[in-house]
Amino acid sequence: MSYLTHADLGGQPGFGPVTPEPEGELFHAAWEPRALALTLAMGATGSWNIDASRAVRETLPGYENLSYYQIWLGALAQLMLQRGQVFPDELASGEMRHPAAPVARVLQAAAVPAVLAKGSPTQRPEPGPARFAVGQPVRMHLGKVDHHTRLPGYVQGKRGVIEHVHGAHVFADAHAQGQGEQPQWLYTVVFDEAELWGEGAPRQNLAVSVDAWESYLEPAA
Amino acid sequence: MSEQHHDHGHDGHEHSELGEMDLRVRALESVLTQKGYIDPAALDVLIDTYQTRIGPRNGARVVARAWVDQEFHDWLLRDATAAIASLGYTGRQGEHMVAVENTAEQHHMVVCTLCSCYPWPVLGLPPTWYKSAPYRSRAVKDPRGVLADFGTTLPESTRIRVWDSTAEVRYLVIPQRPEGTEGMGEEELAALVTRDSMIGTRRVEAPATPGSAA
């Protein structure tokens, strides 16, 4: 019963070179834009939030061998199956065989531009004073949690410095688990390459930052 | 989050066979339409939006404006969300924007090691490589190797700064304005700015001007 993400890739070895592609190339099969649009349209029904959908995508069986839109599509099906919005026999047949479960809203064509332009801002009123300030050294929490998190493995336990305070934002870990928004202060934390990759790693004249919620951090001397 | 719907039997054999994926998506669209969850016409508008309206040309206009207009430049670095919104680019996957500027001393690169976070209103949908395991795994550890995959070489003295987009803040790289572009107007400049330069995997190349000594 432990949470297993397949998506936490930062610093992992063995994936080979990056293959650039031309700027105009967006899709590689006819079904991909439909899969994208279905995902966005169902997301707009308000049946789940983005953090919950990320949780399903990153734990999807076979993640490593699926193309990007296959992951999206697999997760979309999973989210709807979980909520009784579709059933396996319907996905297989393409025919409605069970009554529809009502959704909060349906994205109409005419509303698409306004809905996209509005987006879903995550900034919220500040819950209290920020615990950390720009320039302050911090240590990232160590150890895996048993749920979706936005704290990548490669920075866990590492010492960094607060570089920017972003205000309070919806806390992804809680939001993904259906525990509400629980907004927390969000910080940009910057790390030295030796801290992340060890003194022996080849030097690149590099610094890396992540955006981290307050509960990911503790003060460091 | 523990309902047992893993493995519904049909996932295993429907791998990357193109025809099967087409059928699977068509079946899904059909069921969702019959159930009244989606308006099929909305799908067409969504696709058209990201194919023709929202893409890296938006970001190129932001960069070109920053290159020619000092006041906009300073606003962009101070409050990218507002400055970018003033050009009409707002919303989904760009709700909270930060702009970072490349110089001779520091080169910025953006990645999302956990998924594919990307500033849609200014860059459109991310390219396949941005979402791929090679880029996500290597960008934070071996950015110079990644840059080499794009044919980009930076001096060792140039500090590399990688931004891992782990929350909903989205980053736009303002590439260095190439030399020899002093006389160019905003639109001409925007045409030089590439998507990859705004992610930070390439630089903006100087225009090949006939007769110029560059």
Side-chain angles (χ1 to χ4, degrees):
Chain A
M1 192 52 215
S2 70
Y3 190 91
L4 180 61
T5 174
H6 307 289
D8 189 3
L9 297 178
Q12 299 294 319
F15 286 108
V18 178
T19 310
E21 67 185 356
E23 182 162 307
E25 206 167 297
L26 278 184
F27 300 108
H28 300 86
W31 61 268
E32 288 186 348
R34 306 305 290 178
L36 165 82
L38 284 169
T39 304
L40 296 184
M42 279 309 296
T45 64
S47 305
W48 51 80
N49 63 59
I50 191 164
D51 301 301
S53 68
R54 283 183 185 140
V56 173
R57 285 176 197 163
E58 71 190 14
T59 55
L60 199 67
Y63 180 98
E64 299 88 343
N65 299 315
L66 297 172
S67 76
Y68 200 78
Y69 286 117
Q70 283 178 323
I71 294 170
W72 274 35
L73 199 70
L76 175 60
Q78 188 93 317
L79 286 159
M80 290 187 298
L81 288 163
Q82 286 173 351
R83 285 158 183 79
Q85 294 174 326
V86 295
F87 292 83
D89 57 338
E90 297 177 318
L91 295 179
S93 67
E95 296 289 335
M96 173 171 164
R97 291 179 180 171
H98 307 269
V103 293
R105 52 191 169 268
V106 174
L107 177 63
Q108 301 296 332
V112 168
V115 166
L116 292 181
K118 185 163 170 272
S120 304
T122 55
Q123 191 154 13
R124 295 291 181 269
E126 290 145 13
R131 188 173 174 214
F132 303 102
V134 170
Q136 192 172 346
V138 290
R139 189 171 294 282
M140 312 300 287
H141 275 179
L142 180 62
K144 298 274 178 217
V145 290
D146 209 28
H147 51 70
H148 174 78
T149 184
R150 300 296 287 183
L151 175 58
Y154 73 93
V155 299
Q156 289 182 16
K158 303 296 184 183
R159 189 177 183 278
V161 173
I162 301 283
E163 190 185 60
H164 190 79
V165 185
H166 290 284
H169 284 255
V170 174
F171 182 41
D173 298 44
H175 205 215
Q177 297 177 77
Q179 296 172 355
E181 296 192 338
Q182 305 187 26
Q184 288 187 14
W185 286 92
L186 182 73
Y187 306 86
T188 296
V189 183
V190 63
F191 303 89
D192 190 74
E193 63 184 316
E195 174 72 10
L196 290 184
W197 311 118
E199 293 291 343
R203 287 309 171 87
Q204 300 238 332
N205 195 4
L206 165 69
V208 178
S209 69
V210 301
D211 294 330
W213 277 270
E214 192 162 272
S215 63
Y216 295 171
L217 312 175
E218 53 195 56
Chain B
M1 304 293 288
S2 63
E3 290 153 83
Q4 294 303 309
H5 285 295
H6 313 289
D7 267 304
H8 357 277
H10 59 272
D11 270 354
H13 56 83
E14 282 189 359
H15 267 335
S16 49
E17 190 87 29
L18 197 78
E20 289 197 33
M21 286 308 301
D22 278 314
L23 291 173
R24 188 170 150 195
V25 173
R26 206 165 300 168
L28 184 60
E29 184 176 335
S30 166
V31 172
L32 300 190
T33 306
Q34 289 170 50
K35 293 203 162 194
Y37 299 153
I38 58 165
D39 168 16
L43 305 185
D44 296 329
V45 179
L46 284 164
I47 293 166
D48 179 66
T49 301
Y50 287 108
Q51 269 179 334
T52 65
R53 289 171 214 282
I54 300 180
R57 294 304 93 209
N58 292 3
R61 283 182 211 111
V62 174
V63 168
R65 175 69 54 88
W67 281 351
V68 301
D69 180 340
Q70 186 66 39
E71 207 174 309
F72 183 80
H73 167 274
D74 297 347
W75 187 19
L76 184 62
L77 290 179
R78 199 174 58 246
D79 183 356
T81 311
I84 291 168
S86 78
L87 299 184
Y89 313 134
T90 63
R92 190 187 165 83
Q93 291 302 305
E95 292 91 345
H96 309 288
M97 292 293 305
V98 167
V100 292
E101 183 178 32
N102 282 348
T103 63
E105 291 75 38
Q106 178 149 264
H107 181 91
H108 298 276
M109 228 171 100
V110 184
V111 65
C112 173
T113 62
L114 295 174
C115 51
S116 60
C117 296
Y118 192 75
W120 289 20
V122 283
L123 296 187
L125 301 173
T128 303
W129 59 259
Y130 185 85
K131 304 178 284 194
S132 73
Y135 186 72
R136 288 161 52 191
S137 63
R138 288 172 59 215
V140 290
K141 188 173 188 179
D142 179 24
R144 287 181 193 267
V146 169
L147 287 165
D149 293 341
F150 286 85
T152 305
T153 311
L154 299 175
E156 281 177 31
S157 60
T158 301
R159 185 156 177 80
I160 297 184
R161 175 70 157 80
V162 173
W163 300 78
D164 189 353
S165 188
T166 47
E168 300 302 328
V169 179
R170 300 286 171 266
Y171 295 90
L172 177 71
V173 175
I174 310 171
Q176 264 186 290
R177 179 172 173 172
E179 287 179 25
T181 60
E182 289 73 17
M184 291 175 73
E186 202 173 320
E187 272 186 47
E188 262 183 299
L189 288 168
L192 296 180
V193 179
T194 60
R195 174 194 65 201
D196 294 0
S197 72
M198 293 181 281
I199 306 171
T201 54
R202 295 186 209 259
R203 312 172 73 163
V204 174
E205 302 296 332
T209 334
S212 91

